[in-house]
Amino acid sequence: MKKLLLATVASAAMVTAAYADDVKIGVFLGFTGPIESLVAQMGPGAEAAIAEVSASGKFMNGSTVTAVRADTTCVDAAAATSAAERLITSDKVSGIVGGDCSGVTTATLTNVAMPNGMVMISPSATSPALSTIEDNGLFFRTAPSDARQGVVMSNIILERGFKSVALTYTNNDYGKGLADAFAAAYEAAGGEVTINTSHEDGKADYSAEVGALAAAGGDILVVAGYLDQGGKGIIQASLDTGAFDTFVLPDGMVGDSLPEAIGSDLNGSFGQAPGSDSEGAARLATISGDAFDSTSPFAGESYDAAALILLAMQAASSTNPADYKGKVFDVANAPGEQILPGELGKALDILASGGEIDYVGASNVELIGAGESAGNYREIEIKGAKISTVGYR
Amino acid sequence: MEDLLNAFLLMSNFVFVPAIAYGSQLALGAVGVTLVYGILRFSNFAHGDTMAFGTMIVILFTWWFQSMGINLGPLPTALLALPFGIIVTAIFLLGSDKLIYRFYREQKAAPVIYLIASVGIMFVLNGVVRFIIGPNDQRFADGERFIVKAREMKQYLGTAEGVSIKVSQGLTVITAIIVVIALFWFLNKTRTGKSMRAFSDNEDLALLSGISPDKVVAVTWILVAILATVAGTLYGLDKSFKPFTYFQLLLPIFASAIVGGLGNPLGAIAGGFVIAFSEIMITYPYKKFVAYVVPGDWKPEGLVQLLATDYKFAVSFIILVLVLLFRPTGIFAGKSV
Amino acid sequence: MLINRNIVYFTIMALLLIGVGLFQSWNVSLSILNLCLISAIMALGVNIQWGYAGLFNVGIMGFAALGGLAAVLVAMPPVEGAWSAGGWGAIGGLFLAFISIALAVITYQRMSAGRTRSIIIIAICVIGFFITRAVFGPATHAIEDINPATSGYLGGFGLPIVLSWPVGGIFAGIAAWVIGKITLGLRSDYLAIATLGISEIIIAVLKHEDWMTRGVKNVIGMPRPVPYEVNLQTADWFITLSSTLGADPVGFSSIFVKICYACLFVSMLLIVLWLSETALKSPWGRMMRAIRDNEVSANAMGKNVTKRHLQVFVLGSVVVGLAGAMLTTLDGQLTPTSYQPLRFTFLIWIMVIVGGSGNNWGAVLGGFVIWFFWIEAEPLGLVLMNVITSGMAEDNSLRLHLIESAAHMRLMTMGLILLLVLRFSPRGLLPEKSS
Amino acid sequence: MITVKNLTKKFGGFTAVNNASLTIKKGSITGLVGPNGAGKTTLFNVIAGIYEPSGGFVTLDGKDITGLPPHKLFNKGLLRTFQVAHEFGTMTVRENLMMVPGGQSGESLIDVWLRPGKIREEEEELRIKANEVIEFLEISHVADELAGNLSGGQKKLLELGRTMMVDAKIVFLDEVGAGVNRTLLNTIGDAIIRLNKERGYTFCVIEHDMNFIGRLCDPVIVMAEGGVLAEGTLDEIKANEQVIEAYLGTGLKNKVTS
């Protein structure tokens, strides 16, 4: 822990006299802006992996790794681009964990990362559009595309016997993309979406939205939002007015703070979040301690994104993105020994000795297609005001 | 008959009750804005963040009380912390007046300069609040949650619809009424209040009649501290506390104040309700309502919604623009200077 | 004396950018420079409104967004099939809406006040609303159903993106004309609130009208007016050029692209600056200053104050719209969620006030200085926090909290700068020249 | 030249001008006097288009000008000065004068950008004209001073000067003497008389200083409580019982008789 802090502090102070064998990794997330509260857990998540690798002393013959934070602001493409420029050309990072929101991620990828040949692994940009973006093999994500989640969610709902849902999404590329993907999958499978409407995060009042959702009707309410933003407000207001009793919670809504805040009224609601029956998530919880909340959305993905970059470097024996970008798939997928959070030292050893690993991590990483997580989902249900896992898909 | 009752309950639950609570919150905020405008003569852009600041102090005290096991039974502990929040906020506002606004008063600066200074204060408060309590959602509500629950009401009445009324909604409306009555009593009956109104009507005349402008200004800021802290806390209890939300609240609050007529407290209250009701009623889908009201089993195909909720926030501004077009001084005539 | 000040401040600014180039990197320095240039143009637009005429516009974000919209409509290639699917329906819907509004306005003007007029106007609005929706709704749905993950919108005209800059100015100008018609002539606070509100509405439209701009799904990969780095890196002439300069082609390619942008932006800035300076120094500028100094008196001296306010408001907005289109060009994408008042509106205001309202050079300087610190505040804030907390124990919770909160220093710093300048140097770094 | 018929202006419940009728003859210097609150300035402001009248009408040379905005009245040759000087403070005295004439090509941006030569010529003419006015008013020593830095009297003089930049038919002077020292007031008085004689300006003057009124004005119109009370030469007015009553009511008798 102390090491982690030291690392952050040192990088923060922009120590210019870097050691010859000090590798820098950019942690490029929206520390200010609309998802600043999620990032408060994601940033430390990524830094935990970096600190773990650095402390092991086994990385590239004893090189240290430091994290360099930069702020995407989540929304301001111009500021994000500048910050990414700074990371790559001034701080001379060798890889970037980020960006967080799909919009700024696209901007920095096309404007900064591609021209400079820098690898970016995003823990949380889930927009389906990123699957097809031209990236020269430099862009990966430990979060699955929402196109996949829409299908999974549709299956879960239909299997539980709900034929008609109301749907509300947070009005950004994540919410909209997921809502569209879900609505398409669900209607194709014979379900009825009574209303598909957006809500703005961080606004004053959701009475009107809940009124509209209630009037449209439906067996349950799908809330494709954020758990500490409008999503929570919608659920709270729906319960208060008795509009809906049961909610479907996709990844952005899955976190302990939601049942904590709402209490037993949420019992019976269900949903899914990226995850698998690996013990990765639990392992991460023990690593995180008090430093961050490992169950917060995308905290695990952030850890994994940082770990993947470093393991790929180790596998390529190079910190040059052009060399290690091809190794990301190798370390992430089978064959090889499965690696969980906290076992990065072991993984480094295996790679150093020429062995193969299959990084599983906190979010059961399995890269597919253009370098995105295959989308293993943990089906959850709220029981006794707690999130409990009821299955995996 | 049964259907009509259901229709009424439906509208109450989804339109009237939330609109009254939201309207009260807006009204309290708008009265604060309008008071600054009427007496100090500028649009205070820092008001939303002042609300956030006051609420933050209340939250800190509430946590402290909760940790000591002090509570109010069914009522939220935050009520107990309110006076402390008000005091700290008042100290802050008086300090900011002394450091910043007073200088411009002495310079007899143009109103727009105050406005810009208030933008500066808004930024600083924004930073201070995030600095102290962080950008996250904070919970501080405790006590009972509901006065009436929709489900229980349905069972009791045997109707298809029911009405929920939250403690926080009840509190909001009651507090708003108390605060507004107290404010009007203060402005109309007390000597200080009367001198404030005189000051608001004509600064020079008021000066001639021997009113101390310093006192009027100080009292105004204290009133603003009370209104902002109360409004912010009630809002936080009803929804949640998140610094960013309070900045966003600024827009509907201003719309309320202008629709009512800037500088007119009564107008601000009316404006708050106009904005709240229109936001909710214009975007409400009347599908179910129509189904209840229309005889027989006929049900409308569509949602019977005037405007998608997507444009909810546009509603307040469209009303604002219409008012500006047809009645520029607001529903109740505001100040024209 | 004033000229000296100009030179001194701009030299300091140049040195700061060069310093960033030397100590951080030239890439960072140039990317800051490019945004400084756009900020400077935007600040010029605001200065035209505030500095020349004392109009307080808080809707800058909305005008910048209209510029962004122009970039999409002008430069993106048309989406195949979208026009036939619903393009004409969408346009027809808009046309119908326009007709009903025009009818209502005409009725309002032609008929005498009374209940009949109110009823007729309401009837026109309601009927127009439903007819419009009946035409518009299905058409837009048809457009949005075309491959929603990658297109689902009409697309643009596939023209060179530089053309969108003036178009963005025109869009913003039209919006400003409508707003100005409604609020100018009322007292100044109303203009402020109305612009804030209308810019929120513009953003709401951009976010929700997917058929036009893909809404929150963002339009990405917009064409560029300058070459792509990846292409440069493989071009023979470029490799030769970098080797003669002794530079690494990869790093140099991104510097080269930024220099291209900088050249475009500098020429734009010079044009706008020349136009504004000429205008300010002309009898027109004299008239505007007179109106700003004393509206009543200027009006009594035969100047049509409301009309001139409208003119200057439109002109300023045109410049902001132009800068908005340039910004979207540089970003290479339109992200409606990124239009935040804290960033676009208030930051630009601080630029104008810090730079010196009424003075075009001041606005330009303000644009440079504030953008520079907006970007550099983050690392500077961290350094500052580390210095402040250096005496504390490493795991001191206050220290950790302070360091974690460093990012929020940005807003606070901006607020403090604004307050300090307003108080101690109210005319800004480069005060308005008084002839 | 100016005819005011039954003019009324109400603010809320308060009637500031009540059914006032008067005429101002061409070539005259008409004085408008009356106790404080008699409605003189409000009457000015209604005629000058600052306020919409609640009733009645105003004609200029027989044409209705009721409720026209100030800039249109300016184009018809109706100019005014203000009780508290309304100078353009951040501009020099010369600029203050040069901005006045309407229809300058330099007020059109297109011309500013595309025809700089034409504007330069026009500016040269304006400069000559402004210098003439500055000479006439004997304020050459402050010609390049910022108007905001002038003394109260100089500002009044400047306001008068602005009306000389165009060919005004009628000029309304609102309390030219307020806050002006006696010497300067005499200068202003001289200028008014010269303008009246040499250029044929018609003036309507609100003033409390009866010496000033006596020196300049014929006829004098007395207002009280929003209405016109009497009209005549100053001596006639002073002898009028009603007028004395009106002033007595406000304790200003001395002012009339002094």
Side-chain angles (χ1 to χ4, degrees):
Chain A
M1 195 51 224
K2 210 167 180 180
K3 274 256 159 80
L4 165 65
L5 285 168
L6 269 176
T8 341
V9 172
S11 64
M14 294 194 304
V15 181
T16 37
Y19 321 96
D21 52 356
D22 180 41
V23 177
K24 289 182 175 169
I25 300 294
V27 177
F28 184 54
L29 302 167
F31 293 96
T32 62
I35 68 156
E36 56 195 12
S37 44
L38 290 182
V39 170
Q41 314 304 329
M42 292 163 63
E47 283 155 2
I50 293 169
E52 187 183 329
V53 167
S54 188
S56 74
K58 293 165 184 161
F59 180 64
M60 314 270 292
N61 306 319
S63 293
T64 55
V65 191
T66 46
V68 184
R69 281 190 180 193
D71 189 0
T72 64
T73 72
C74 179
V75 291
D76 187 345
T81 311
S82 293
E85 286 289 355
R86 198 197 81 211
L87 278 180
I88 294 173
T89 59
S90 165
D91 293 329
K92 308 243 183 279
V93 298
S94 307
I96 292 179
V97 177
D100 49 354
C101 302
S102 300
V104 291
T105 306
T106 329
T108 41
L109 175 63
T110 42
N111 294 345
V112 189
M114 286 225 309
N116 290 294
M118 181 56 57
V119 165
M120 282 174 82
I121 303 190
S122 167
S124 62
T126 53
S127 162
L130 279 164
S131 301
T132 51
I133 196 168
E134 189 187 340
D135 65 357
N136 294 349
L138 292 164
F139 180 71
F140 305 88
R141 45 181 169 171
T142 50
S145 161
D146 288 327
R148 163 87 180 131
Q149 187 178 183
V151 176
V152 169
M153 181 153 64
S154 163
N155 291 341
I156 292 176
I157 293 172
L158 287 168
E159 280 169 27
R160 288 178 179 243
F162 297 105
K163 289 285 178 199
S164 127
V165 299
L167 168 60
T168 180
Y169 59 89
T170 175
N171 196 23
N172 63 20
D173 43 1
Y174 158 68
K176 176 88 178 165
L178 176 57
D180 286 353
F182 164 73
Y186 189 65
E187 280 172 347
E192 184 205 3
V193 177
T194 57
I195 184 172
N196 182 356
T197 184
S198 68
H199 61 264
E200 294 284 337
D201 281 330
K203 285 287 187 180
D205 180 82
Y206 294 107
S207 316
E209 284 83 350
V210 170
L213 293 167
D219 300 336
I220 46 173
L221 176 62
V222 180
V223 186
Y226 296 114
L227 75 162
D228 59 350
Q229 294 267 6
K232 184 185 140 206
I234 293 272
I235 288 186
Q236 188 72 69
S238 303
L239 285 168
D240 289 350
T241 53
F244 291 93
D245 301 322
T246 312
F247 304 91
V248 184
L249 311 168
D251 53 356
M253 294 295 295
V254 178
D256 285 337
S257 72
L258 188 70
E260 263 168 36
I262 290 179
S264 57
D265 284 345
L266 203 62
N267 287 349
S269 292
F270 58 93
Q272 73 289 326
S276 69
D277 50 358
S278 79
E279 22 171 347
R283 287 284 189 90
L284 185 63
T286 59
I287 297 175
S288 68
D290 297 335
F292 63 97
D293 173 11
S294 66
T295 58
S296 170
F298 306 119
E301 281 81 355
S302 304
Y303 177 94
D304 292 344
L308 272 185
I309 291 183
L310 294 168
L311 294 175
M313 287 177 178
Q314 181 86 341
S317 306
S318 161
T319 58
N320 183 347
D323 297 334
Y324 76 80
K325 71 177 183 186
K327 293 286 182 187
V328 175
F329 263 94
D330 298 347
V331 295
N333 293 353
E337 178 153 358
Q338 297 211 328
I339 300 296
L340 295 174
E343 298 175 344
L344 298 181
K346 185 174 103 188
L348 292 169
D349 276 340
I350 297 173
L351 290 169
S353 59
E356 283 194 282
I357 59 162
D358 171 15
Y359 183 74
V360 174
S363 61
N364 201 22
V365 177
E366 180 71 32
L367 292 186
I368 55 161
E372 59 198 32
S373 183
N376 294 294
Y377 288 89
R378 179 165 65 102
E379 182 180 348
I380 58 110
E381 188 171 326
I382 312 288
K383 291 177 182 163
K386 284 246 177 315
I387 293 175
S388 50
T389 305
V390 293
Y392 293 93
R393 307 181 173 247
Chain B
M1 194 55 222
E2 170 95 25
D3 276 350
L4 284 184
L5 178 65
N6 271 328
F8 174 74
L9 291 175
L10 176 77
M11 291 300 281
S12 304
N13 195 26
F14 288 109
V15 177
F16 302 141
V17 170
I20 288 172
Y22 181 38
S24 309
Q25 286 152 359
L26 287 185
L28 280 175
V31 171
V33 164
T34 230
L35 212 58
V36 174
Y37 188 86
I39 293 165
L40 305 170
R41 295 189 171 75
F42 69 97
S43 304
N44 184 9
F45 270 69
H47 197 79
D49 285 286
T50 310
M51 282 166 64
F53 180 82
T55 314
M56 176 186 74
I57 305 292
V58 170
I59 291 176
L60 295 177
F61 274 101
T62 307
W63 285 345
W64 188 45
F65 289 150
Q66 283 171 344
S67 70
M68 293 195 304
I70 303 173
N71 65 60
L72 283 177
L75 294 174
T77 316
L79 291 185
L80 214 56
L82 251 184
F84 301 94
I86 291 172
I87 291 170
V88 176
T89 313
I91 292 172
F92 174 84
L93 287 177
L94 290 173
S96 69
D97 183 79
K98 194 166 186 139
L99 276 175
I100 296 152
Y101 295 124
R102 193 165 73 176
F103 172 79
Y104 300 108
R105 260 200 309 282
E106 282 164 5
Q107 301 268 305
K108 293 213 174 295
V112 73
I113 301 291
Y114 293 85
L115 202 163
I116 296 170
S118 81
V119 169
I121 293 180
M122 177 188 90
F123 272 107
V124 172
L125 271 177
N126 227 305
V128 168
V129 170
R130 279 159 206 231
F131 207 87
I132 297 177
I133 205 165
N136 297 338
D137 214 50
Q138 307 292 346
R139 262 164 44 81
F140 63 109
D142 50 9
E144 281 296 322
R145 276 188 58 75
F146 288 95
I147 299 173
V148 188
K149 265 190 139 171
R151 209 171 306 169
E152 289 158 8
M153 190 169 189
K154 281 186 214 169
Q155 284 163 4
Y156 181 77
L157 290 176
T159 49
E161 300 293 336
V163 180
S164 285
I165 303 175
K166 285 194 286 179
V167 171
S168 56
Q169 288 171 326
L171 264 182
T172 302
V173 175
I174 293 168
T175 319
I177 293 172
I178 294 174
V179 168
V180 165
I181 290 177
L183 179 72
F184 278 89
W185 173 81
F186 177 80
L187 289 179
N188 290 313
K189 299 287 176 196
T190 64
R191 210 180 115 75
T192 320
K194 283 179 186 170
S195 55
M196 284 173 67
R197 280 172 53 223
F199 195 85
S200 160
D201 286 343
N202 189 323
E203 193 173 348
D204 297 326
L205 274 186
L207 286 177
L208 285 176
S209 64
I211 294 166
S212 151
D214 287 342
K215 189 179 168 194
V216 167
V217 169
V219 172
T220 308
W221 282 121
I222 292 169
L223 287 179
V224 170
I226 295 173
L227 288 164
T229 312
V230 169
T233 306
L234 288 174
Y235 180 78
L237 283 175
D238 194 29
K239 275 98 184 180
S240 70
F241 176 81
K242 204 167 193 315
F244 190 66
T245 319
Y246 282 72
F247 169 70
Q248 300 267 21
L249 212 51
L250 193 64
L251 305 170
I253 284 180
F254 262 114
S256 309
I258 290 193
V259 165
L262 261 180
N264 184 330
L266 200 64
I269 294 161
F273 285 102
V274 168
I275 297 289
F277 269 88
S278 47
E279 261 189 24
I280 294 178
M281 291 188 75
I282 291 181
T283 55
Y284 184 74
Y286 292 89
K287 180 182 184 179
K288 265 179 137 178
F289 176 76
V290 172
Y292 278 127
V293 176
V294 173
D297 280 343
W298 184 76
K299 241 186 170 177
E301 281 286 312
L303 288 172
V304 201
Q305 189 182 21
L306 271 173
L307 198 65
T309 47
D310 298 344
Y311 287 112
K312 185 175 91 170
F313 299 100
V315 171
S316 44
F317 292 108
I318 292 168
I319 294 173
L320 179 69
V321 166
L322 288 178
V323 167
L324 288 184
L325 272 176
F326 295 106
R327 206 181 155 81
T329 47
I331 302 173
F332 293 75
K335 300 187 79 64
S336 53
V337 183
Chain C
M1 161 66 197
L2 277 170
I3 293 186
N4 290 344
R5 249 202 206 192
N6 266 348
I7 293 171
V8 170
Y9 283 135
F10 277 102
T11 314
I12 293 174
M13 194 61 234
L15 288 177
L16 280 175
L17 284 170
I18 292 171
V20 169
L22 292 174
F23 292 107
Q24 290 188 300
S25 82
W26 287 106
N27 254 311
V28 175
S29 172
L30 280 169
S31 76
I32 294 180
L33 172 72
N34 277 334
L35 282 158
C36 281
L37 289 166
I38 294 178
S39 305
I41 297 181
M42 236 181 242
L44 272 177
V46 175
N47 186 43
I48 291 173
Q49 296 174 340
W50 168 245
Y52 292 14
L55 298 177
F56 193 67
N57 173 4
V58 210
I60 299 158
M61 169 186 78
F63 297 112
L66 284 176
L69 171 67
V72 170
L73 295 187
V74 168
M76 288 306 284
V79 171
E80 216 163 293
W83 275 97
S84 52
W88 301 112
I91 303 292
L94 287 183
F95 184 66
L96 281 172
F98 177 76
I99 293 210
S100 19
I101 292 173
L103 265 179
V105 170
I106 291 170
T107 318
Y108 179 75
Q109 285 168 346
R110 293 286 165 84
M111 285 183 68
S112 52
R115 190 175 293 169
T116 341
R117 182 176 79 172
S118 312
I119 291 172
I120 291 181
I121 290 181
I122 291 172
I124 291 175
C125 292
V126 171
I127 295 170
F129 178 77
F130 284 106
I131 295 182
T132 304
R133 215 160 71 163
V135 176
F136 193 63
T140 53
H141 275 297
I143 297 172
E144 284 163 21
D145 283 344
I146 301 173
N147 194 4
T150 50
S151 51
Y153 75 127
L154 274 179
F157 291 95
L159 300 167
I161 197 162
V162 177
L163 275 182
S164 75
W165 300 358
V167 175
I170 293 169
F171 281 9
I174 294 171
W177 187 83
V178 173
I179 300 170
K181 266 285 176 196
I182 296 172
T183 52
L184 289 170
L186 300 174
R187 59 166 183 259
S188 54
D189 296 71
Y190 281 177
L191 178 70
I193 314 273
T195 45
L196 187 61
I198 288 179
S199 77
E200 290 285 336
I201 292 180
I202 292 173
I203 304 303
V205 170
L206 286 193
K207 276 185 182 173
H208 293 290
E209 299 306 314
D210 288 17
W211 62 275
M212 190 164 68
T213 57
R214 272 174 61 78
V216 291
K217 290 182 290 180
N218 309 334
V219 177
I220 57 175
M222 296 187 26
R224 275 186 182 184
V226 299
Y228 286 85
E229 291 89 346
V230 194
N231 298 345
L232 283 177
Q233 285 160 18
T234 52
D236 288 337
W237 66 269
F238 187 78
I239 296 171
T240 330
L241 178 68
S242 18
S243 63
T244 38
L245 291 170
D248 148 51
V250 174
F252 184 61
S253 71
S254 90
I255 290 179
F256 182 82
V257 166
K258 290 195 179 68
I259 292 174
C260 292
Y261 271 121
C263 291
L264 279 175
F265 294 163
V266 165
S267 33
M268 233 27 242
L269 176 65
L270 289 178
I271 293 171
V272 175
L273 189 60
W274 181 82
L275 289 174
S276 345
E277 268 299 89
T278 320
L280 186 63
K281 284 182 177 149
S282 73
W284 181 87
R286 185 171 61 208
M287 174 178 64
M288 292 318 304
R289 278 189 293 146
I291 290 175
R292 187 195 58 189
D293 278 4
N294 196 321
E295 282 181 27
V296 177
S297 180
N299 194 210
M301 291 301 113
K303 311 303 177 201
N304 188 341
V305 174
T306 313
K307 192 177 133 197
R308 292 302 177 175
H309 273 171
L310 185 61
Q311 183 191 20
V312 88
F313 185 65
V314 169
L315 279 177
S317 302
V318 166
V319 175
V320 173
L322 171 91
M326 291 167 63
L327 186 66
T328 306
T329 306
L330 181 67
D331 288 347
Q333 63 174 3
L334 178 72
T335 17
T337 43
S338 72
Y339 292 95
Q340 299 272 334
L342 278 179
R343 151 86 165 80
F344 281 95
T345 300
F346 295 116
L347 200 60
I348 307 290
W349 264 99
I350 294 175
M351 290 173 186
V352 173
I353 287 167
V354 168
S357 44
N359 182 338
N360 289 319
W361 290 101
V364 173
L365 180 71
F368 271 77
V369 171
I370 296 300
W371 183 261
F372 184 83
F373 283 107
W374 179 248
I375 289 301
E376 293 289 325
E378 199 197 342
L380 288 177
L382 271 172
V383 172
L384 184 73
M385 281 300 161
N386 277 302
V387 172
I388 291 174
T389 58
S390 55
M392 298 183 194
E394 250 164 41
D395 51 355
N396 182 317
S397 63
L398 178 65
R399 171 178 185 159
L400 296 182
H401 181 75
L402 285 175
I403 289 174
E404 216 158 71
S405 312
H408 304 306
M409 288 300 288
R410 250 187 192 180
L411 293 175
M412 210 146 106
T413 320
M414 287 302 142
L416 281 177
I417 291 178
L418 180 65
L419 288 173
L420 290 175
V421 169
L422 207 58
R423 174 78 157 75
F424 296 106
S425 176
R427 302 176 64 207
L429 292 172
L430 294 178
E432 183 181 357
K433 277 165 260 180
S434 35
S435 313
Chain D
M1 170 163 242
I2 289 272
T3 312
V4 174
K5 261 262 153 40
N6 303 336
L7 203 67
T8 301
K9 176 65 198 175
K10 290 181 186 162
F11 295 101
F14 174 68
T15 308
V17 176
N18 188 6
N19 214 18
S21 299
L22 53 90
T23 50
I24 298 165
K25 287 186 209 69
K26 194 173 171 68
S28 71
I29 302 179
T30 304
L32 194 59
V33 299
N36 280 327
K40 303 179 299 279
T41 298
T42 309
L43 179 74
F44 258 40
N45 283 337
V46 175
I47 295 174
I50 307 258
Y51 301 137
E52 286 263 343
S54 316
F57 58 90
V58 185
T59 61
L60 171 66
D61 290 337
K63 285 184 199 116
D64 190 7
I65 57 163
T66 321
L68 286 184
H71 60 269
K72 292 206 171 140
L73 294 172
F74 174 92
N75 292 334
K76 293 185 181 296
L78 188 152
L79 274 68
R80 56 98 43 107
T81 67
F82 294 86
Q83 192 169 0
V84 178
H86 278 26
E87 78 287 351
F88 305 122
T90 66
M91 291 161 48
T92 67
V93 168
R94 189 176 283 115
E95 280 181 308
N96 262 267
L97 295 173
M98 287 171 70
M99 71 76 67
V100 176
Q104 303 178 26
S105 321
E107 286 178 3
S108 146
L109 279 177
I110 301 292
D111 286 343
V112 167
W113 289 324
L114 299 181
R115 303 165 72 182
K118 184 177 172 200
I119 289 164
R120 221 171 292 130
E121 281 169 29
E122 276 186 28
E123 281 291 274
E124 210 35 60
E125 286 167 26
L126 283 176
R127 185 177 300 276
I128 293 167
K129 196 161 189 182
N131 286 342
E132 281 169 18
V133 172
I134 289 167
E135 289 291 316
F136 182 95
L137 297 173
E138 296 166 18
I139 48 173
S140 325
H141 55 292
V142 291
D144 293 309
E145 188 67 45
L146 289 189
N149 300 340
L150 298 184
S151 75
Q154 287 170 327
K155 285 178 185 173
K156 293 275 177 170
L157 217 47
L158 173 61
E159 283 210 319
L160 191 60
R162 286 201 308 220
T163 67
M164 296 168 59
M165 290 296 292
V166 288
D167 294 320
K169 285 186 189 158
I170 176 157
V171 180
F172 286 82
L173 302 173
D174 194 352
E175 297 203 22
V176 273
V180 178
N181 70 44
R182 192 144 293 272
T183 332
L184 210 49
L185 188 56
N186 282 333
T187 319
I188 294 176
D190 293 343
I192 292 172
I193 292 170
R194 275 181 67 192
L195 284 171
N196 179 248
K197 294 262 162 7
E198 294 171 14
R199 299 206 186 178
Y201 277 28
T202 306
F203 283 98
C204 179
V205 186
I206 293 183
E207 187 47 63
H208 283 302
D209 187 323
M210 287 303 158
N211 290 328
F212 187 80
I213 291 281
R215 189 177 149 219
L216 263 63
C217 301
D218 182 35
V220 176
I221 295 172
V222 186
M223 281 187 77
E225 288 172 9
V228 173
L229 202 58
E231 186 180 337
T233 65
L234 186 61
D235 292 331
E236 285 167 15
I237 296 289
K238 277 182 179 174
N240 186 316
E241 278 300 319
Q242 272 182 303
V243 173
I244 295 170
E245 185 69 20
Y247 270 91
L248 266 179
T250 56
L252 286 168
K253 189 191 177 191
N254 297 341
K255 233 180 173 176
V256 183
T257 49
S258 65

